Amino acid sequence: MNWYPWLNGPYRQLVSQYQGDRGHHALLMHAAKGMGDEALVYGLSRWLLCQHHDGEKSCGKCHSCHLMIAGNHPDWHVLTPEKGKNSLGVEPVRQLIETLYNYSQQGGAKVVWLPQTELLTEAAANALLKTLEEPPERTYFVLGCREPSRLLPTLRSRCFYWHLSTPEAPLATQWIARQLQAEPLAIQTALRLTEGTPIAALELLQPERWKQREQFCLQLLSSWQQRDLLSLLPQLNHDDAAERLHWLASVLLDVIKYQQGAADYVINLDQQPLISLLASEMNNAFLQQNLQGWMLCRQQLLSVVGVNRELLLTERLLNWENSLQF
């Protein structure tokens, strides 16, 4: 599993807590997508399961370390939804709890990694509560989440909340520059579009994906100049529509910043001409209203099952055309 330089400090911080017997048995790790939190959890789990610690490192030589390296340690439990499902039901949780109350296969600790705690059904979360409150001896839970607000308050209250912060921009920029040849302005823009998460920024900067974003911005400019916003539909109506709507919303937000004298804080640093043009021609009140409309549209795409994507996008584009004052 890949390791990332911005994880070094958090790893040492977490391990030191367990070294000093201050580590909580249930760690709620809040991390944005693209931070590499899976690698951090794997490293921490290896240390917890290691039979002969080398300070803050796992020894890499004991049988437990060999099993972790091979990916088949019997006391490391990764709990994810079954293939094809987008929720985690109560039965797998009950089976896990039953397993945890047996003796450790290797005679040491047991670690449970739940990457997406938000996917627990209410029944599954409730089934986990008692075990979180009174876990078996030497059993540790690491619960990953993107949005802690989506978790049951009773579940959050039984865990130690820990946030994996995004790295400083220079560190993230240097790391990306070592992975991929890209213009510094493009790297800065990608980091801003992904809220500072280096792995997500690197994925966005892949040549084909970055070209798609550039084409989207060019089409937005053309659609605006021709006063034909419906022509933007082919650029939006894709399986990744939610991310493309994020690109659109970020541009509109940049236009608001530009109009308010905060041009230094725009996200799309490489789209200054587009932002300047829209800021000079768009009414601020209508701009804010339509930005809210696009954010609602994106939320509907993400949350409404079976929504007609093309119809939803078409309606939103027509509303935008009708509401804006050309």
Side-chain angles (χ1 to χ4, degrees):
M1 183 172 290
N2 292 331
W3 188 257
Y4 306 102
W6 58 87
L7 299 179
N8 292 332
Y11 173 81
R12 287 192 292 267
Q13 182 182 352
L14 286 171
V15 167
S16 68
Q17 292 180 6
Y18 290 98
Q19 280 181 313
D21 292 325
R22 294 177 287 106
H24 201 280
H25 69 273
L27 182 69
L28 178 60
M29 183 178 293
H30 176 200
K33 182 180 179 182
M35 280 296 296
D37 46 308
E38 300 90 349
L40 178 60
V41 172
Y42 174 80
L44 175 63
S45 300
R46 269 190 61 173
W47 189 89
L48 289 170
L49 292 166
C50 179
Q51 296 164 337
H52 304 290
H53 297 136
D54 182 13
E56 64 184 22
K57 300 179 181 179
S58 50
C59 70
K61 301 176 183 178
C62 68
H63 186 53
S64 190
C65 282
H66 288 160
L67 289 171
M68 283 294 285
I69 294 170
N72 56 7
H73 198 299
D75 295 319
W76 191 46
H77 307 277
V78 182
L79 196 57
T80 57
E82 295 178 11
K83 188 175 181 179
K85 293 188 177 181
N86 57 5
S87 65
L88 186 54
V90 66
E91 193 55 37
V93 173
R94 286 174 176 166
Q95 292 175 2
L96 171 66
I97 291 171
E98 184 177 345
T99 301
L100 293 176
Y101 279 96
N102 295 326
Y103 287 107
S104 164
Q105 296 287 322
Q106 295 299 308
K110 289 168 282 188
V111 180
V112 177
W113 166 224
L114 181 54
Q116 296 174 286
T117 310
E118 298 99 324
L119 299 185
L120 286 172
T121 64
E122 186 172 349
N126 285 324
L128 190 60
L129 286 176
K130 182 172 176 57
T131 306
L132 286 178
E133 190 169 1
E134 299 177 9
E137 187 179 1
R138 295 197 66 190
T139 300
Y140 302 95
F141 293 85
V142 184
L143 309 183
C145 70
R146 305 294 184 217
E147 300 178 51
S149 60
R150 291 177 56 189
L151 304 181
L152 290 177
T154 48
L155 186 67
R156 297 200 307 266
S157 68
R158 285 163 172 77
C159 302
F160 176 75
Y161 173 83
W162 198 85
H163 181 237
L164 179 59
S165 302
T166 54
E168 296 291 333
L171 175 60
T173 300
Q174 291 171 11
W175 179 79
I176 292 173
R178 289 196 296 267
Q179 314 302 315
L180 180 77
Q181 284 191 341
E183 293 293 329
L185 192 65
I187 295 177
Q188 292 179 52
T189 299
L191 281 169
R192 293 192 180 192
L193 279 166
T194 57
E195 299 181 340
T197 55
I199 300 171
L202 180 63
E203 292 175 356
L204 177 58
L205 282 165
Q206 295 303 312
E208 183 177 352
R209 190 60 173 160
W210 193 248
K211 185 177 180 180
Q212 290 172 353
R213 175 185 165 272
E214 290 178 330
Q215 290 173 340
F216 170 83
C217 292
L218 285 172
Q219 184 59 56
L220 175 58
L221 176 61
S222 174
S223 297
W224 177 262
Q225 290 175 328
Q226 296 174 27
R227 302 308 193 244
D228 179 17
L229 294 176
L230 190 58
S231 63
L232 195 59
L233 180 62
Q235 282 288 337
L236 291 174
N237 190 25
H238 288 264
D239 289 340
D240 63 344
E243 183 172 4
R244 291 174 183 244
L245 288 182
H246 171 63
W247 297 344
L248 175 58
S250 71
V251 170
L252 296 179
L253 181 59
D254 283 345
V255 175
I256 293 175
K257 293 176 182 177
Y258 196 94
Q259 291 178 342
Q260 300 297 323
D264 291 342
Y265 300 95
V266 300
I267 297 169
N268 298 275
L269 295 168
D270 61 342
Q271 297 296 326
Q272 295 285 357
L274 171 63
I275 295 167
S276 176
L277 173 66
L278 295 179
S280 67
E281 297 186 359
M282 293 181 75
N283 178 281
N284 187 266
F286 283 124
L287 172 62
Q288 296 197 41
Q289 177 184 345
N290 280 275
L291 174 58
Q292 292 175 0
W294 281 115
M295 295 301 291
L296 175 61
C297 178
R298 183 175 184 273
Q299 183 59 34
Q300 289 173 319
L301 285 177
L302 291 171
S303 60
V304 178
V305 178
V307 66
N308 188 321
R309 183 180 66 210
E310 184 173 3
L311 182 61
L312 183 65
L313 293 170
T314 300
E315 180 184 21
R316 185 66 246 156
L317 284 167
L318 288 174
N319 286 341
W320 193 15
E321 272 196 21
N322 294 333
S323 65
L324 287 173
Q325 299 176 346
F326 290 108

